Amino acid sequence: MKEKHKLVTIVVEGTPHEWPEEKITYVEVVTLEVPEFAQHPEITYSVRYKLGHGNKPEGVLTPGASVKVKEGMVFHVSETGQS
């Protein structure tokens, strides 16, 4: 039986969000900040994080990747450009 992950609070661009999963993907982070992201695949975003887990406390989340979340983890989402 899969153990239920406890809710953690992550901060995306200054807004706290409760997150029920152990990991979060690039698409999930961007969608928290830009709810209409799915309708605009031509726009790309840069996602940086800090205050993550000990072995990788900060870094960049790239499309297709995910990262383990931690209470108080901070994400920065910025638009990188349009086609």
Side-chain angles (χ1 to χ4, degrees), residues 26-63:
Y26 168 88
V27 169
E28 290 167 335
V29 174
V30 173
T31 302
L32 285 174
E33 175 61 19
V34 186
E36 65 278 4
F37 173 60
Q39 285 88 53
H40 297 281
E42 75 282 0
I43 303 174
T44 54
Y45 293 87
S46 163
V47 178
R48 292 180 300 119
Y49 64 87
K50 61 184 183 182
L51 305 178
H53 281 272
N55 61 341
K56 196 159 186 200
E58 53 188 62
V60 174
L61 196 53
T62 55

Side-chain angles (χ1 to χ4, degrees), residues 2 4 7 21 25 32 34 40 42 45-47 51 54 57 73-74 76-79 83:
K2 187 174 185 289
K4 175 130 176 59
L7 281 175
E21 306 294 329
T25 66
L32 285 174
V34 186
H40 297 281
E42 75 282 0
Y45 293 87
S46 163
V47 178
L51 305 178
M73 200 166 174
V74 177
H76 292 286
V77 178
S78 55
E79 202 173 302
S83 53

Side-chain angles (χ1 to χ4, degrees), residues 58-73:
E58 53 188 62
V60 174
L61 196 53
T62 55
S66 65
V67 66
K68 209 169 175 180
V69 296
K70 181 179 160 193
E71 183 67 35
M73 200 166 174

